[in-house]
Amino acid sequence: MSEKPFISIEGIAKRFGAQVVFEDVHFGVRQGEFVALIGHSGCGKTTILNVLAGLDQPDSGAVLVGNDAISGPSLDRAVIFQSHALLPWLSAIGNISFAVRSRWPKWDGEAVRSHCQRYIDLVGLTGAETKRPAQLSGGMKQRVGIARALAIHPKMLLMDEPFSALDALTRGVLQDEVLRLCAATHQTVFMITHDVDEAILLADRIVLMTNGPYAKVAEIVVNTLPRERSRHDVHKHPHYYRIRNHIVDFLVERSRRFDEDRPRDYDPMHPPEVRPGLGEPPPPAPLRAVT
Amino acid sequence: MASAFRDPFNPDHRLSSGCSCGEHASQADHDQAAALGGTDDLAARLAETAIVKAVFGADPARRAFLRTVGTSTALAALSQFFPLAAAREAMAQAPGPLEKKDLKIGFIPITCATPIIMAHPMGFYSKNGLNAEVVRTAGWAVIRDKTLNKEYDAAHMLSPMPLAITMGAGSNPIPYTMPAVENINGQAITLAVKHKDKNDPKQWKGFKFAVPFDYSMHNYLLRYYLAEAGLDPDTDVQIRAVPPPEMVANLRADNIDGFLAPDPVNQRAVYDGVGFIHILSKAIWDGHPCCAFAASREFVTTMPNTYQALLKSIIEATAFATKAENRKQIAEVIAGQNYLNQPVTVVEQVLTGTYADGLGNVKRDANRIDFDPFPYQSMAIWILTQMKRWGQIKGDVNYKQVAEQVFLATDATKLMREAGLTPPAMSSKKHVIMGKEFDPAKPDEYIASFRIKRS
Amino acid sequence: MRSLALRSALLSAAIFLLFIGIWQVSSMSGGGGSQVVDDEYARLVGAAAATGQKTPFPSPSEVGAKLWQHLSDPFYVRGTNDMGIGIQLAYSIARVAGGYLLAAAFAIPVGFLIGMSPLLYGALNPYIQILRPISPLAWMPLALYTIKDSSISSIFVIFICSVWPMLINTAFGVASVRREWTNVARTLEVGPLRTAFRVILPAAAPTIMTGMRISIGIAWLVIVAAEMLVGGTGIGYFVWNEWNNLSLSSILVAILSIGLVGMALDQGLARLTRLVTYQE
């Protein structure tokens, strides 16, 4: 990594009793960068996100923002939860203003209201301001969640499988929205997902995690697709399937056997960065019979 | 008529017992004096009575003495030894300003409370400068607790209750006083109509009886009556405490076979066709005490003037209630919703003694209930013997001392003490209960004489 | 479907009329009969006793007359022991309100703490479990003995009976607030007090209100019994007093009014519950 990352994960590990979920996890997210983390269930993806959010503490290692280890949650790192986590007794705009008032407690009511309205409009919820979460569709709820996160102007956005609970159609629309919003604001984003297409569509770099227990970062895929992408034509780019095949291959095969086939020069502190889109050969094939 | 109202200096009357009033030369005079407003000197006479009794003890001696020297001489002679005038004055009027004017007095809605209740609507309290509120109360335990809690300044209680409270039976021992008995007689044994042929208590084996409270004359009289008939009240029958309002309902529901209860419960059972009156309690012990006017010793000592005024109101009301011709008027006043909350005729039958017995007969007994404020200490001793007899109190009992402490025979005793004199023991009287004499001087022998007992 | 409500109402009315009709007919069949005693005796006893019977259960028309009598002048005060049914109900409601509000003021903050702290929950739970099933009236002698004031004792009894459902429900509601809602507050750096009032309280409010609704029902049940025991004032005392007078008609009127007030209290809280209920 050439430039100093905005946030860097330094060898964190999490254990539940004697069970080591993950260990020696190192990677960083640079300013304005969109990083996705992909891996199978049980590799501790959500825990890593919670550690970044400050909601959970690692058993060893640290997360640094600048030069300081984070000690807890911060308004600088907004979270978009998988289950949207809206407060059901508040209206759409009420949920957003709850966050806005937390960020700027001294603002008067009108300032809060107009600020919230701007974000309501931004996520396309104009007209649904006063609706309670129960009256909104799943996609609309997650829009409120996105608006809530963006409205507090976080330095970093943490997204925990934000679209996994949505139907495919809605998911696609929302992915486009996020792509648009993040590109427009140069938002620094860290996203958890298990959807390869989503990761390729949205991320600049994709962190691949091996299966748990003892999960670790196997490698980091650099997305060599141009930054201006769209869901409709991204797959037409020649890099697309190379990247996709590489990741799918990892998820299907290598994530499982990483410890056996580990390259000799593997260093968890500096996981290899690969660029499969450029046609680079995959990492050295293991010396073993094809079964 | 109540002996407390008798002139102790009239040699023609016995002080200790009997029914005729000896207070006046003629009945007309008596009526006039005893009527409302004519009772001012009652308390004074009460003081004199106490002193004369104390000096002469037994009646014959007093009579002989008065015959010899004449009434006026006797008074003069006595005055040399006892500050009679002072005592009379102290008793006749509240000696100082009232410490407290607004009083709360609790009562249970039964005719025993007649003096306490009627003193309110008929103005006996206000006449003595008191603004008393009489509060109907749900049960004996509640009236006890509310009095102990000082929510009530004084209360209507069953006469054994102050003794029990003082002795700590059924509650913590708290010095209690009973300055006045309210009524004598006035109770009855009522049986369910289905038992109308069982007029002999020997046929009552297995019956379930109700009494108002464990520490009540009702309990002791019923036990006495049953035991005299050879039934052991603890094993041959069941006796349980049931609040008076629930008695008729329970009798109707066949939960009990009968009760020895205060009126108007008995008469109400007849009125509703549920029960019949087996006997009046006066057939067991004519002149027995029943309910009492009670106050804590603390109230008596910290508010002596208020206490005197209150006692005076009660004694005056009691005197008014003794008059047969006043009874109808009293019945009308106290039957109302604010007091007993009963049909007037029921209360009237109790007070006038002309009543339906539940078997189709109209009976007449003018002394069905009577009112006599004088708390004979011998009555207290009898009650204590019964508490002992039925195991409510254990160990040795200093009968005389407890009786004296609780049954304040008159405040004269107290006034004499204040004057630096040693009051002689009050003369108790002998009582006759179902033909058997009770000598208050020999309580232990009396208990020992019973075959059925728990001690 | 509009007619369903109408039809239910009609059926309700029919059931009521049928019930009253059967009652009236059965109470008439018992009456009558000729006098079996002489006139003097008959004047001294009730009408039923004069015909050799027991006073019967009152008929609906008697109860109706009594109801009208009580309703036409519900707020009279003719003495310490003689007040209208409206005044008595007001006394009972005031006592219930006093004990209940005290209980809420105690149970909701304490339940909050218990719900927030598994340590406190574990430490206090045994006491709560032992104290909760005790019949509130069993406290009455103890209260009278220690508090030494019967009206405060009644309020205490209301307090002690209504405190448990509120305490338990508050603790449960607070403890089961969804983790993600508190996480939202944490990521927004919301202070503990604001989290308590803006997140945990509204989240637990429906559960708390359910506890409060259970409590008001119990409190209203208990006040009648407590007042029958202690007396003085209140609708329970009214029932006791009319029992003393063996006036079943008045007792039936009291029962009806107790039911109506109880329903009103319950409906009031149900309405409040609806205000704080949210759909997830």
Side-chain angles (χ1 to χ4, degrees):
Chain A
M1 271 171 264
S2 47
E3 47 179 302
K4 173 95 178 143
F6 168 74
I7 188 165
S8 68
I9 290 89
E10 306 272 353
I12 59 169
K14 190 77 187 173
R15 287 178 279 272
F16 290 112
Q19 182 92 335
V20 176
V21 183
F22 56 80
E23 60 177 7
D24 259 344
V25 171
H26 292 261
F27 66 92
V29 181
R30 288 183 284 265
Q31 186 75 48
E33 190 184 29
F34 195 127
V35 171
L37 186 145
I38 201 162
H40 285 291
S41 301
C43 70
K45 294 191 302 267
T46 297
T47 308
I48 289 175
L49 184 126
N50 282 345
V51 168
L52 260 63
L55 294 170
D56 206 343
Q57 275 80 46
D59 291 310
S60 57
V63 176
L64 300 183
V65 174
N67 292 318
D68 303 317
I70 62 166
S71 55
S74 162
L75 281 159
D76 287 339
R77 299 188 300 280
V79 181
I80 296 173
F81 296 87
Q82 180 176 6
S83 56
H84 58 77
L86 300 181
L87 305 179
W89 54 91
L90 295 178
S91 62
I93 199 163
N95 268 284
I96 298 168
S97 76
F98 178 67
V100 170
R101 282 181 194 282
S102 307
R103 172 59 126 177
W104 296 286
K106 295 207 173 74
W107 279 16
D108 63 25
E110 180 48 36
V112 171
R113 203 203 56 75
S114 64
H115 185 82
C116 294
Q117 188 63 49
R118 196 154 68 242
Y119 282 86
I120 289 268
D121 298 342
L122 188 67
V123 297
L125 282 177
T126 315
E129 293 88 347
T130 56
K131 288 198 169 136
R132 295 280 175 96
Q135 297 165 290
L136 300 173
S137 69
M140 289 166 94
K141 279 188 245 192
Q142 199 53 288
R143 282 169 193 265
V144 178
I146 292 166
R148 178 173 66 185
L150 293 176
I152 60 171
H153 295 171
K155 292 191 176 139
M156 185 179 190
L157 207 53
L158 301 169
M159 298 198 280
D160 183 5
E161 305 193 30
F163 313 120
S164 62
L166 306 176
D167 62 274
L169 221 60
T170 314
R171 189 187 311 151
V173 173
L174 271 185
Q175 284 165 349
D176 280 346
E177 297 270 344
V178 167
L179 196 62
R180 174 176 64 80
L181 289 170
C182 292
T185 55
H186 297 288
Q187 186 73 50
T188 310
V189 185
F190 174 70
M191 179 177 77
I192 301 283
T193 184
H194 55 240
D195 181 333
V196 178
D197 295 312
E198 183 174 284
I200 301 172
L201 177 67
L202 296 176
D204 300 319
R205 291 191 298 146
I206 300 157
V207 178
L208 303 183
M209 277 198 86
T210 65
N211 288 6
Y214 298 98
K216 49 183 72 70
V217 177
E219 57 188 43
I220 296 171
V221 174
V222 179
N223 190 347
T224 47
L225 291 169
R227 194 91 203 251
E228 285 72 39
R229 307 162 200 156
S230 122
R231 195 161 45 92
H232 303 289
D233 52 17
V234 69
H235 59 277
K236 292 173 185 156
H237 196 279
H239 291 183
Y240 183 81
Y241 278 102
R242 291 188 207 143
I243 299 171
R244 191 175 194 281
N245 289 346
H246 180 87
I247 297 174
V248 170
D249 179 52
F250 173 81
L251 289 175
V252 173
E253 279 293 324
R254 293 194 293 132
S255 67
R256 193 154 42 87
R257 295 205 313 257
F258 183 76
D259 279 340
E260 302 159 34
D261 307 341
R262 159 156 42 172
R264 227 158 281 123
D265 59 349
Y266 174 77
D267 174 6
M269 284 184 71
H270 299 99
E273 280 203 354
V274 295
R275 288 174 174 77
L278 301 177
E280 280 180 7
L287 293 170
R288 50 178 291 159
V290 177
T291 48
Chain B
M1 191 49 68
S3 59
F5 304 128
R6 261 177 257 133
D7 183 348
F9 295 105
N10 185 335
D12 293 331
H13 293 284
R14 294 174 63 229
L15 272 186
S16 311
S17 60
C19 284
S20 71
C21 173
E23 201 176 322
H24 303 97
S26 71
Q27 185 61 31
D29 285 358
H30 169 102
D31 293 348
Q32 201 177 344
L36 177 59
T39 51
D40 272 350
D41 61 343
L42 271 175
R45 183 135 308 148
L46 205 62
E48 288 174 1
T49 308
I51 293 164
V52 172
K53 270 189 193 170
V55 171
F56 298 105
D59 276 342
R62 177 182 59 98
R63 252 178 274 150
F65 174 73
L66 291 177
R67 283 224 179 76
T68 315
V69 301
T71 304
S72 56
T73 318
L75 257 178
L78 269 178
S79 303
Q80 297 190 335
F81 301 103
F82 300 104
L84 258 187
R88 208 162 32 213
E89 259 169 46
M91 284 300 286
Q93 66 209 27
L98 297 172
E99 295 88 351
K100 186 178 178 187
K101 279 188 174 148
D102 298 322
L103 299 180
K104 270 195 173 177
I105 303 164
F107 73 92
I108 304 286
I110 53 179
T111 43
C112 301
T114 298
I116 289 181
I117 299 170
M118 60 178 269
H120 183 249
M122 296 181 126
F124 289 94
Y125 293 126
S126 49
K127 188 159 91 57
N128 286 297
L130 298 171
N131 176 25
E133 193 183 345
V134 291
V135 186
R136 185 167 49 210
T137 309
W140 299 107
V142 178
I143 213 167
R144 176 192 65 200
D145 288 353
K146 283 193 173 182
T147 317
L148 295 180
N149 293 348
K150 298 184 188 131
E151 276 182 62
Y152 295 156
D153 299 288
H156 164 208
M157 285 193 185
L158 294 157
S159 51
M161 285 170 66
L163 291 166
I165 294 172
T166 304
M167 303 281 292
S171 67
N172 270 0
I174 288 169
Y176 236 72
T177 67
M178 197 188 102
V181 166
E182 281 180 60
N183 68 312
I184 54 173
N185 301 339
Q187 323 302 307
I189 297 179
T190 298
L191 295 180
V193 170
K194 65 173 177 182
H195 296 307
K196 67 169 104 180
D197 301 322
K198 294 184 182 159
N199 252 322
D200 185 349
K202 289 190 173 63
Q203 299 166 288
W204 295 355
K205 219 171 159 122
F207 272 29
K208 282 183 238 163
F209 285 104
V211 293
F213 201 58
D214 287 337
Y215 305 98
S216 68
M217 281 304 290
H218 310 85
N219 190 17
Y220 305 136
L221 288 175
L222 179 63
R223 283 168 172 270
Y224 192 101
Y225 185 68
L226 294 168
E228 289 298 296
L231 293 180
D232 187 319
D234 285 318
T235 55
D236 292 333
V237 298
Q238 268 185 44
I239 300 178
R240 49 177 142 130
V242 174
E246 299 170 32
M247 283 180 170
V248 179
N250 273 301
L251 193 67
R252 189 191 169 101
D254 266 346
N255 278 342
I256 49 176
D257 296 287
F259 46 73
L260 199 159
D263 269 312
V265 174
N266 302 294
Q267 203 56 49
R268 189 66 206 255
V270 171
Y271 182 85
D272 280 290
V274 173
F276 70 94
I277 294 174
H278 167 67
I279 53 162
L280 298 178
S281 61
K282 78 185 273 276
I284 303 173
W285 172 1
D286 192 6
H288 73 80
C290 173
C291 287
F293 172 72
S296 70
R297 187 164 279 282
E298 191 190 337
F299 175 72
V300 173
T301 50
T302 58
M303 296 185 211
N305 299 339
T306 308
Y307 161 69
Q308 296 276 356
L310 186 56
L311 184 55
K312 193 156 171 279
S313 316
I314 300 285
I315 289 174
E316 286 169 3
T318 310
F320 186 75
T322 54
K323 296 295 305 157
E325 61 272 24
N326 295 335
R327 297 276 180 90
K328 250 188 135 128
Q329 183 197 349
I330 295 170
E332 266 171 45
V333 171
I334 67 169
Q337 278 202 50
N338 200 24
Y339 304 108
L340 295 183
N341 194 18
Q342 290 287 340
V344 175
T345 175
V346 168
V347 180
E348 201 177 289
Q349 289 177 65
V350 174
L351 291 183
T352 60
T354 301
Y355 65 96
D357 70 348
L359 296 171
N361 312 309
V362 177
K363 294 200 170 168
R364 286 177 181 77
D365 188 338
N367 287 331
R368 173 173 178 175
I369 187 168
D370 205 346
F371 300 94
D372 180 350
F374 198 88
Y376 287 101
Q377 288 166 0
S378 47
M379 291 171 170
I381 295 172
W382 186 85
I383 291 167
L384 289 168
T385 64
Q386 300 303 302
M387 286 181 165
K388 187 98 193 284
R389 178 184 180 187
W390 302 117
Q392 283 182 338
I393 50 177
K394 307 244 178 330
D396 287 336
V397 180
N398 191 339
Y399 296 97
K400 214 160 127 325
Q401 193 190 328
V402 175
E404 274 173 19
Q405 276 177 7
V406 180
F407 277 43
L408 302 182
T410 75
D411 258 5
T413 309
K414 185 181 69 120
L415 293 168
M416 284 168 70
R417 270 207 196 90
E418 282 171 5
L421 300 166
T422 311
M426 286 300 302
S427 59
S428 288
K429 66 176 177 181
K430 291 181 179 175
H431 301 284
V432 177
I433 298 114
M434 293 184 78
K436 183 177 167 117
E437 193 183 66
F438 163 63
D439 181 354
K442 297 172 184 157
D444 285 319
E445 289 89 330
Y446 182 67
I447 299 174
S449 72
F450 292 109
R451 192 175 60 78
I452 300 174
K453 57 179 177 284
R454 294 285 91 77
S455 59
Chain C
M1 287 315 287
R2 187 177 58 87
S3 68
L4 181 65
L6 183 70
R7 280 184 296 159
S8 316
L10 281 175
L11 186 59
S12 260
I15 291 171
F16 177 74
L17 289 176
L18 184 71
F19 171 72
I20 294 288
I22 292 173
W23 179 8
Q24 179 77 40
V25 167
S26 61
S27 62
M28 282 192 314
S29 63
S34 56
Q35 191 174 312
V36 295
V37 291
D38 59 60
D39 286 348
E40 187 192 12
Y41 187 87
R43 272 196 298 280
L44 295 178
V45 295
T51 57
Q53 285 163 333
K54 297 176 182 181
T55 305
F57 195 81
S59 68
S61 50
E62 288 171 89
V63 176
K66 199 55 120 178
L67 181 66
W68 176 247
Q69 183 199 322
H70 284 299
L71 288 186
S72 55
D73 188 11
F75 296 111
Y76 72 84
V77 177
R78 281 189 211 114
T80 314
N81 310 307
D82 188 11
M83 302 181 204
I85 193 166
I87 300 257
Q88 306 287 19
L89 279 170
Y91 270 111
S92 297
I93 292 168
R95 280 195 191 109
V96 164
Y100 180 79
L101 292 178
L102 276 178
F106 171 83
I108 293 172
V110 172
F112 221 95
L113 291 178
I114 294 174
M116 299 280 278
S117 154
L119 175 75
L120 268 181
Y121 190 88
L124 294 179
N125 195 41
Y127 296 108
I128 295 172
Q129 295 307 328
I130 290 170
L131 292 173
R132 189 172 57 101
I134 296 172
S135 162
L137 288 181
W139 293 98
M140 186 54 101
L142 206 67
L144 277 175
Y145 190 90
T146 48
I147 299 174
K148 299 197 183 302
D149 183 293
S150 59
S151 54
I152 297 178
S153 295
S154 317
I155 290 172
F156 169 78
V157 166
I158 295 304
F159 170 86
I160 205 84
C161 76
S162 47
V163 82
W164 308 117
M166 286 197 256
L167 189 66
I168 291 166
N169 269 45
T170 305
F172 176 78
V174 167
S176 49
V177 168
R178 281 174 52 179
R179 188 58 187 246
E180 58 187 35
W181 297 336
T182 52
N183 276 349
V184 166
R186 288 177 65 199
T187 59
L188 294 173
E189 293 188 59
V190 178
L193 216 59
R194 192 154 174 261
T195 305
F197 281 103
R198 294 297 309 276
V199 179
I200 297 173
L201 192 63
T207 321
I208 295 173
M209 285 305 297
T210 306
M212 292 182 77
R213 201 173 156 191
I214 297 170
S215 283
I216 198 80
I218 296 175
W220 188 244
L221 287 181
V222 166
I223 192 66
V224 175
E227 285 168 348
M228 284 186 80
L229 206 62
V230 178
T233 45
I235 191 68
Y237 172 74
F238 180 90
V239 170
W240 176 85
N241 184 37
E242 294 303 336
W243 189 14
N244 180 47
N245 186 26
L246 297 170
S247 170
L248 291 182
S249 313
S250 288
I251 292 174
L252 286 168
V253 170
I255 287 172
L256 185 68
S257 57
I258 290 167
L260 288 174
V261 172
M263 188 177 79
L265 290 174
D266 185 63
Q267 288 306 307
L269 274 166
R271 194 154 291 191
L272 281 179
T273 309
R274 273 203 294 281
L275 281 182
V276 300
T277 299
Y278 52 83
Q279 236 184 322
E280 283 185 40

